[in-house]
C-alpha cells in the first residue's frame, strides 16, 4: 500500500508489517524519514530535527553545505557538500563531476514493470511509486522506483537515469539503493568465504569505520554476497531488528555501511563503481539492478523467512519452481575427464536401477582433447572420438533406461587451443597489446559483442535440441580480468563488465524462451555466482564443490540464511571426500544432501551393494519432504559453525501440519547425555507424530518447542538423524 500526502509531499510505503517513509524537504530534497515496524502515521518529519541545526538552504543559504552533509537522503549525490557515500556521480563534457537532484513529480502505478535486460522481481499484488528527480544544470533526470509488496515485507528499488539534455554525460557511479538509519548499536551482517568454503556469515560491530561487501571479479565471487544487513546488537534468531539489502545482480557489486560521528548510518548497495563508467548520449538511459530491502523485527529468522518467500513467490520463474525436480546423478566427481560411452552407460544403468531420474554429463564431452581443464572451450560440439556416435547415441541409450539427460557448458569461456579461438581471436577479452592472463588455462569471451551471444546461442541450441536435453549446468570458472573489448569503442570500455552480465542474462533468457521446460542449474567454480540475479533464470544453483557433509553444514547455513533451500544444489558425495579426505557414512551423506535439491555425485558402479540398496530409500525419503523443501519455513535450531559439535535445522509446512528435522552429531563427545533441542515454527496445540525411521512417538507442539526433543548421543562421529513430524488427531 502506498500513501501519498500531497500537501506535505510525504510518502508512506506499507508492507504487511513494515512502513517506509520518505518526503520532500525544503521544496526539493528527497529525504528518508523512517523504516521499521509498521506505524499508522505518515508524517514523521519531526525525526529530521530540522529546527535543531542551521536550517534549510532556502532560509539559510550560507550553510547549504552543512545541510547537505547531514540530511538523510533517499538517493545521495556526489559533489554538492554531502561528504558521505554517494549513490550517483556524473561527469559532464568539461570532465567535472557533481550534481544536485531535486524533486519534480511522482507517479503511483498498480504494477511492477520488468527491467529491460535485467532480472527483476514480479507479482500481482504490488504497487510501484516512481519519484522523478532532476538536475537542471546537467539536464539529467533520475527516476527512483519503489515496488511495495502486499504479501511479504519487501520493498524493491531500482533507478533509471536519463540524459534529457543535448550533451553526452558519463555515469561513473549508479547505485541501486540507499538506506539512512540512526545507529542503535548496530552490527553488520555480511558473508565471506572462498572456493569450497562459500557463503559463511560474519557479524561485526558497526563503529565509525566503513564495513563493505564488494566484488571486483566480474561475478559475485566465492568471498561475498551482494548483501548487507544492519542488525541490532546481539540480535538472535528470534529477536532483534534486521535491516537487509540484497542485490538482484550477477556481476561486480558494492555495498557499504558507515556510521558518521552523529550516529547517522548510511547503507548503500549497487553495481561496483570501480571500473564502471557508462556513457549516456542525449536521450540514452541507464537502469540499475534491483535491490531488495526488508526489515525484520523478529531477528535473523524473520529476515530469512521473508527472503525465502519473496524469492520463491516473486523472483524464481522456472516452471520447476514448485514442480517435483528430477533427482540427478552428476558425472564430475565420479569420472572427471576420464570416461568413455561405455563407462557412462554403466553409471546410467546402475543409476536407473536405483531410481535416479536424470544423468548429467559434466565437463569433458566437447571439442577435441578435453581430457584436462585446458583446451576446447568454445567448441560446443561433441568429441566423437571420446563418445562415438555422439551425444545422440548417448542420449538414446540414457532414454532407453528411462532417464533424462543433462549436460555441462561453460559458455563464457574460450581456450587458446580451440577452433573458436583460431577463427575469432578478437572475441577474447584483452587490453591493447597485452596478452590476457590465464586462469584454469582459459580466457573470457567478449559478451558485450552480440555476435558472440548469437554464436553461442546457435551452438547451444543445436546441442540441446539434438541431444534432447532436459537440463543444463552453466558453469563459469574464473574471475574476469583484462577488461578490454575489441567490439566496444574507447569511451564505452567502462561498460564492459556490466555488459558482460547483460550478455549472460540475454543468452540464458533466449535459451529459456526456446526451451521453456529446460532446467538450468547455474554454477561458478562451485558457488561463486550464487546470487538473486541467477535465480531469475535458474531455480537451482550449485552451491559449492565441497560436498563433504561436515563442511556443507556451514556453507548451507550461510546460503540458506538468505536463499530458499529449494535452490541449493546438494549432492551425496563419495567417501573419502575428494576435497577433505573425510570418510562419512553413506546414511549421513544422504541425509545431509536433503538440505536442498537432491542428487548424487559419485561412481555408483563402485559403491557397495548395501549403499546401492540405500539409494531408493533415500530418494523415497526425499520425495516425502520435497514439498517442504520447496515451500516450507526453514528454521535454524543449532549451528555447528558456532558450537563446533552439532547442527540442527528444521522445515515446517505453511499449515504447520508437517515438518522434518535434520540433526547431525558431528563429533562424539565422551561422557555425554542426549542432546536437548528446542523445535520452532510448530502449532503449539497440535499433536505430532515424530518418527526417526526406527521409533515413533507423539508430542504436542508446545512440548517440542518449549521442553524440547532429546537426540540420543552416539559413540561415533558424523551421525545424522532424520525426523519426520506429521500432525495427528488427538485420541479421544
Ligand atoms: C566447477 C564446478 O563447480 C564443478 O562442479 C565441475 O562442473 C567443474 N567445474 C568442471 O570443470
Amino acid at each position: 500500500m502506498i500513501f501519498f500526502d500531497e500537501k506535505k509531499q510525504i510518502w508512506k510505503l506499507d508492507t504487511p508489517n513494515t512502513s517506509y517513509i520518505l518526503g520532500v524537504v525544503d521544496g526539493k530534497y528527497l529525504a528518508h524519514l523512517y523504516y521499521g515496524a509498521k506505524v499508522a502515521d505518515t508524517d514523521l518529519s519531526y525525526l529530521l530535527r530540522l529546527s535543531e541545526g542551521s536550517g534549510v538552504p532556502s532560509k539559510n543559504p550560507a550553510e547549504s553545505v552543512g545541510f547537505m552533509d547531514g540530511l538523510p537522503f533517499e538517493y545521495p549525490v556526489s559533489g554538492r557538500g554531502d561528504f558521505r557515500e554517494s549513490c550517483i556521480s556524473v561527469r559532464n563534457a568539461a570532465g567535472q563531476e557533481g550534481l544536485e537532484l531535486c524533486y519534480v513529480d511522482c507517479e503511483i502505478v498498480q504494477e511492477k514493470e520488468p527491467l529491460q535486460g535485467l532480472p527483476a522481481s514480479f507479482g500481482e499484488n504490488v504497487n510501484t511509486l516512481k519519484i522523478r528527480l532532476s538536475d537542471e544544470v546537467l539536464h539529467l533526470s533520475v527516476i527512483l522506483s519503489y515496488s511495495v509488496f502486499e504479501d511479504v515485507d519487501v520493498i524493491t528499488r531500482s533507478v533509471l537515469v536519463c540524459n534529457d539534455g543535448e550533451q553526452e554525460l558519463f555515469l561513473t557511479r549508479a547505485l541501486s539503493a540507499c538506506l539512512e538509519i540512526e545507529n542503535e548499536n548496530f552490527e553488520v551482517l555480511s558473508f565471506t568465504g572462498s572456493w569450497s568454503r562459500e557463503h559463511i556469515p560474519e557479524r561485526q560491530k558497526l563503529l565509525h569505520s566503513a564495513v563493505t561487501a564488494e566484488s571486483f571479479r566480474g561475478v559475485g565471487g566465492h568471498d561475498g554476497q551482494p548483501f548487507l544487513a544492519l542488525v541490532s546488537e546481539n540480535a538472535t534468531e528470534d529477536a532483534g531488528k534486521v535491516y537487509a539489502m540484497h542485490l538482484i545482480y550477477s556481476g561486480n557489486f558494492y555495498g557499504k555501511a558507515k556510521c558518521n560521528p552523529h550516529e547517522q548510518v548510511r547503507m548503500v548497495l549497487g553495481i561496483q563503481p570501480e571500473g564502471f563508467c557508462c556513457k549516456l548520449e542525449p536521450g540514452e538511459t541507464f537502469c540499475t539492478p534491483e535491490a531488495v530491502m526488508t526489515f525484520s523485527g523478529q531477528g535473523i529468522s524473520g529476515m530469512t523467512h521473508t527472503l525465502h518467500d519473496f524469492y520463491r513467490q516473486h523472483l524464481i520463474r522456472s516452471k520447476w519452481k514448485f514442480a517435483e525436480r528430477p533427482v540427478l546423478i552428476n558425472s564430475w566427481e565420479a569420472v572427471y575427464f576420464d570416461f568413455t560411452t561405455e563407462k557412462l552407460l554403466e553409471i546410467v544403468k546402475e543409476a536407473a536401477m536405483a531410481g535416479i531420474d536424470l544423468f548429467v554429463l559434466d565437463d569433458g564431452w566437447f571439442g577435441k582433447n578435453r581430457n584436462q581443464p585446458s583446451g576446447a572451450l568454445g567448441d560446443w560440439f561433441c568429441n566423437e572420438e571420446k563418445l562415438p556416435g555422439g551425444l545422440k547415441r548417448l542420449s538414446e541409450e540414457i532414454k532407453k533406461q528411462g532417464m533424462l539427460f543433462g549436460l555441462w557448458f561453460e559458455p563464457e569461456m574460450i581456450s587458446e587451443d580451440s577452433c573458436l579461438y583460431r577463427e575469432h581471436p578478437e572475441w577474447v577479452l584483452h587490453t591493447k597489446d597485452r596478452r590476457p592472463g590465464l586462469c584454469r588455462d582459459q580466457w573470457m569471451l567478449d559478451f558485450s559483442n552480440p555476435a558472440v551471444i548469437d554464436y553461442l546461442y546457435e551452438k547451444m541450441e543445436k546441442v540441446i535440441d539434438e541431444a534432447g536435453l532436459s537440463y543444463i549446468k552453466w558453469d563459469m570458472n574464473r574471475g574476469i580480468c583484462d577488461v578490454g573489448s575489441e567490439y566496444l569503442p574507447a569511451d564505452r570500455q567502462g561498460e564492459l563488465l556490466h555488459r558482460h552480465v547483460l550478455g549472460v542474462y540475454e543468452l540464458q533468457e533466449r535459451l529459456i524462451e526456446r526451451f521453456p521446460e529446460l532446467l538450468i542449474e547455474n554454477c561458478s567454480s562451485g558457488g561463486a555466482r550464487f546470487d538473486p540475479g541467477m535465480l531469475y533464470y535458474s531455480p537451482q544453483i550449485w552451491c559449492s564443490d565441497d560436498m563433504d557433509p561436515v563442511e556443507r553444514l556451514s556453507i548451507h547455513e550461510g546460503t540458506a540464511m538468505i536463499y530458499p533451500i529449494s535452490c541449493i544444489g546438494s549432492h551425496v558425495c563419495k567417501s573419502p571426500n575428494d576435497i577433505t579426505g573425510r570418510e562419512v557414512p553413506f546414511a549421513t551423506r544422504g541425509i545431509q544432501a536433503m538440505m536442498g535439491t537432491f542428487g548424487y555425485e559419485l561412481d555408483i558402479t563402485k559403491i557397495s551393494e548395501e549403499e546401492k540398496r540405500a539409494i531408493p530409500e533415500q530418494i523415497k525419503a526425499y520425495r516425502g519432504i520435497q514439498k517442504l523443501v520447496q515451500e516450507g519455513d526453514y528454521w535454524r535450531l543449532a549451528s555447528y559453525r558456532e558450537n563446533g559439535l552439532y547442527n540442527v535445522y528444521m522445515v515446517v509446512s505453511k499449515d504447520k501440519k508437517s515438518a522434518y528435522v535434520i540433526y547431525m552429531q558431528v563429533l562424539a563427545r565422551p561422557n555425554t547425555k542426549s542432546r536437548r533441542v528446542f523445535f520452532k515454527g510448530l502449532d503449539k496445540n497440535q499433536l505430532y507424530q515424530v518418527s526417526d525411521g526406527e521409533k515413533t512417538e507423539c508430542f504436542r507442539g508446545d512440548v517440542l518447542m518449549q521442553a524440547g526433543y532429546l537426540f540420543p548421543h552416539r559413540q561415533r562421529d558424523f551421525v545424522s538423524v532424520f525426523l519426520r513430524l506429521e500432525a495427528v488427531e488427538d485420541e479421544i
Side-chain angles (χ1 to χ4, degrees):
M1 191 72 86
I2 299 174
F3 302 93
F4 179 33
D5 182 334
E6 209 168 340
K7 209 162 140 236
K8 291 183 176 160
Q9 293 191 313
I10 293 177
W11 298 263
K12 177 161 165 283
L13 320 181
D14 275 356
T15 67
N17 303 293
T18 71
S19 295
Y20 186 99
I21 307 180
L22 61 161
V24 176
V25 171
D26 203 20
K28 53 183 188 176
Y29 303 108
L30 191 64
H32 178 75
L33 302 181
Y34 173 80
Y35 190 30
K38 199 168 191 165
V39 291
D41 289 346
T42 299
D43 184 2
L44 302 193
S45 51
Y46 71 93
L47 289 172
L48 293 174
R49 302 183 180 89
L50 288 177
S51 57
E52 292 177 27
S54 46
V56 295
S58 63
K59 302 225 170 78
N60 185 8
E63 289 303 339
S64 76
V65 167
F67 169 84
M68 293 297 218
D69 199 28
L71 193 74
F73 281 100
E74 272 299 310
Y75 198 64
V77 300
S78 70
R80 292 287 293 163
D82 179 349
F83 300 113
R84 296 161 292 176
E85 193 75 18
S86 65
C87 275
I88 181 166
S89 199
V90 178
R91 201 167 61 226
N92 63 16
Q96 303 146 344
E97 306 223 355
L99 73 164
E100 189 164 308
L101 290 176
C102 301
Y103 175 69
V104 179
D105 56 18
C106 82
E107 187 190 1
I108 296 172
V109 293
Q110 317 296 313
E111 60 173 343
K112 166 85 179 52
E113 289 163 6
L115 301 181
Q116 196 58 42
L118 283 164
S121 63
F122 50 82
E124 306 260 293
N125 299 324
V126 45
N127 299 316
T128 303
L129 166 66
K130 294 181 185 184
I131 297 186
R132 189 146 59 106
L133 310 172
S134 84
D135 180 299
E136 57 179 26
V137 175
L138 292 178
H139 302 290
L140 179 102
S141 60
V142 166
I143 298 171
L144 307 181
S145 290
Y146 299 78
S147 291
V148 184
F149 288 78
E150 287 195 357
D151 57 345
V152 58
D153 288 317
V154 164
I155 295 171
T156 64
R157 294 178 59 170
S158 67
V159 179
L160 187 70
V161 184
C162 324
N163 182 354
D164 305 325
E166 278 162 15
Q167 292 203 330
E168 62 185 31
L169 297 171
F170 289 89
L171 194 58
T172 54
R173 167 186 286 249
L175 303 188
S176 298
C178 170
L179 184 63
E180 302 259 25
I181 295 280
E182 257 182 57
N183 199 2
E184 298 174 36
N185 273 333
F186 286 130
E187 293 171 8
V188 180
L189 170 66
S190 60
F191 291 84
T192 179
S194 70
W195 173 77
S196 85
R197 284 193 282 113
E198 291 90 340
H199 317 147
I200 307 300
E202 200 168 61
R203 261 164 78 166
Q204 56 192 293
K205 189 155 176 54
L206 181 67
L207 298 171
H208 296 94
S209 304
V211 178
T212 54
E214 59 187 332
S215 160
F216 302 98
R217 295 171 191 277
V219 287
H222 298 97
D223 52 345
Q225 271 292 319
F227 172 94
L228 270 182
L230 298 169
V231 303
S232 318
E233 192 181 24
N234 304 322
T236 63
E237 284 296 312
D238 310 304
K241 295 182 187 176
V242 181
Y243 297 89
M245 295 211 283
H246 205 182
L247 194 66
I248 305 180
Y249 191 59
S250 310
N252 280 353
F253 61 86
Y254 176 74
K256 179 166 171 180
K258 189 163 192 293
C259 180
N260 75 7
H262 306 290
E263 300 309 313
Q264 293 172 294
V265 181
R266 176 173 287 176
M267 180 161 76
V268 296
L269 186 63
I271 291 182
Q272 168 68 260
E274 188 170 318
F276 171 85
C277 180
C278 176
K279 181 179 176 186
L280 289 180
E281 298 269 17
E284 269 193 315
T285 59
F286 178 82
C287 181
T288 72
E290 191 175 16
V292 176
M293 270 186 344
T294 184
F295 166 78
S296 157
Q298 272 93 45
I300 310 288
S301 292
M303 172 196 76
T304 297
H305 292 159
T306 299
L307 290 178
H308 285 197
D309 287 343
F310 181 70
Y311 291 142
R312 288 186 296 209
Q313 299 298 343
H314 300 290
L315 186 63
I316 304 174
R317 299 174 294 171
S318 166
K319 79 155 245 237
W320 290 102
K321 169 160 60 171
F322 296 126
E324 190 170 272
R325 305 248 186 104
V327 170
L328 66 81
I329 184 159
N330 179 298
S331 67
W332 182 241
E333 291 212 355
V335 290
Y336 294 107
F337 294 103
D338 183 16
F339 55 81
T340 58
T341 304
E342 284 56 47
K343 175 67 204 173
L344 298 179
L345 291 178
E346 279 171 33
I347 295 177
V348 168
K349 201 165 157 215
E350 287 288 354
M353 282 195 306
I356 295 172
D357 309 304
L358 164 70
F359 172 71
V360 178
L361 176 54
D362 210 281
D363 200 348
W365 59 269
F366 52 90
K368 293 196 178 108
N369 191 27
R370 181 79 182 168
N371 292 318
Q372 65 292 311
S374 69
L377 287 164
D379 296 347
W380 300 111
F381 53 83
C382 182
N383 178 348
E384 297 221 14
E385 266 171 41
K386 203 167 176 180
L387 299 171
L391 292 174
K392 199 158 187 318
R393 178 182 156 218
L394 186 62
S395 171
E396 280 164 8
E397 295 296 331
I398 292 169
K399 285 177 186 167
K400 265 191 219 156
Q401 297 290 336
M403 287 182 79
L404 304 168
F405 185 24
L407 214 51
W408 179 96
F409 290 89
E410 199 179 359
E412 294 150 83
M413 300 299 156
I414 181 166
S415 305
E416 186 166 17
D417 180 14
S418 65
C419 306
L420 182 61
Y421 180 67
R422 285 183 280 275
E423 218 174 299
H424 285 295
E426 78 285 6
W427 283 4
V428 176
L429 285 193
H430 66 281
T431 55
K432 198 163 167 1
D433 298 335
R434 201 182 294 277
R435 184 177 155 84
L438 283 163
C439 180
R440 215 189 188 215
D441 210 359
Q442 62 201 48
W443 287 322
M444 296 297 307
L445 278 170
D446 181 356
F447 263 45
S448 72
N449 183 345
V452 173
I453 308 291
D454 288 344
Y455 165 86
L456 289 166
Y457 175 74
E458 198 189 296
K459 297 290 171 216
M460 291 176 79
E461 196 253 6
K462 190 160 183 277
V463 173
I464 297 169
D465 196 33
E466 285 179 4
L469 300 182
S470 304
Y471 163 108
I472 63 166
K473 177 172 170 187
W474 177 306
D475 204 348
M476 197 289 189
N477 284 300
R478 60 162 295 173
I480 310 178
C481 58
D482 298 285
V483 186
S485 158
E486 281 199 26
Y487 171 75
L488 292 175
D491 57 3
R492 293 217 178 254
Q493 296 287 324
E495 298 167 24
L496 183 51
L497 283 173
H498 179 59
R499 283 178 184 252
H500 182 90
V501 181
L502 296 184
V504 171
Y505 292 153
E506 185 193 328
L507 185 50
Q508 296 205 4
E509 186 72 42
R510 283 170 71 177
L511 292 172
I512 290 166
E513 265 172 32
R514 168 71 177 83
F515 301 104
E517 308 288 306
L518 187 72
L519 173 58
I520 302 181
E521 177 155 350
N522 269 291
C523 166
S524 176
S525 187
R529 192 150 64 185
F530 206 119
D531 61 64
M534 286 287 103
L535 281 186
Y536 189 66
Y537 304 92
S538 65
Q540 59 194 60
I541 306 176
W542 187 229
C543 174
S544 176
D545 283 344
D546 195 341
M547 289 169 271
D548 175 318
V550 176
E551 295 301 312
R552 270 287 176 120
L553 294 173
S554 309
I555 297 169
H556 184 270
E557 181 190 335
T559 313
M561 197 171 271
I562 51 178
Y563 294 100
I565 59 171
S566 59
C567 62
I568 303 179
S570 334
H571 298 167
V572 178
C573 65
K574 55 191 186 192
S575 181
N577 178 276
D578 274 355
I579 291 177
T580 60
R582 189 175 283 130
E583 292 184 44
V584 173
F586 196 70
T588 294
R589 281 180 274 149
I591 291 174
Q592 293 304 323
M594 295 194 198
M595 292 177 172
T597 68
F598 189 69
Y600 293 83
E601 194 162 332
L602 40 71
D603 187 347
I604 192 172
T605 65
K606 292 197 178 139
I607 62 176
S608 71
E609 287 305 314
E610 196 190 343
E611 289 173 343
K612 277 185 206 165
R613 278 195 301 276
I615 293 179
E617 286 306 309
Q618 290 178 340
I619 295 176
K620 192 168 158 220
Y622 185 68
R623 290 279 179 238
I625 58 161
Q626 195 160 10
K627 209 170 151 44
L628 287 163
V629 170
Q630 289 175 335
E631 295 172 27
D633 286 333
Y634 163 89
W635 296 92
R636 283 172 295 276
L637 305 185
S639 159
Y640 163 67
R641 188 179 59 85
E642 287 171 1
N643 63 39
L645 288 170
Y646 70 108
N647 198 82
V648 198
Y649 78 89
M650 72 185 292
V651 180
V652 184
S653 64
K654 291 278 177 197
D655 66 3
K656 300 183 191 289
K657 298 272 184 227
S658 176
Y660 74 94
V661 185
I662 288 187
Y663 169 88
M664 179 156 172
Q665 172 186 295
V666 180
L667 293 179
R669 214 174 169 215
N671 195 13
T672 299
K673 292 201 171 126
S674 56
R675 191 162 274 132
R676 186 172 168 201
V677 174
F678 300 96
F679 291 179
K680 289 182 183 173
L682 299 171
D683 175 349
K684 66 179 173 17
N685 299 313
Q686 178 67 56
L687 192 67
Y688 293 93
Q689 196 173 62
V690 181
S691 167
D692 66 3
E694 282 170 14
K695 65 175 187 318
T696 301
E697 300 162 282
C698 278
F699 295 93
R700 203 165 289 283
D702 59 354
V703 171
L704 290 170
M705 293 191 292
Q706 304 304 330
Y709 181 86
L710 300 180
F711 286 94
H713 184 262
R714 304 276 193 76
Q715 284 173 296
R716 255 189 301 142
D717 295 339
F718 319 133
V719 205
S720 276
V721 179
F722 175 67
L723 282 189
R724 281 301 319 262
L725 276 73
E726 288 298 339
V728 286
E729 294 297 322
D730 283 35
E731 279 178 33
I732 303 168

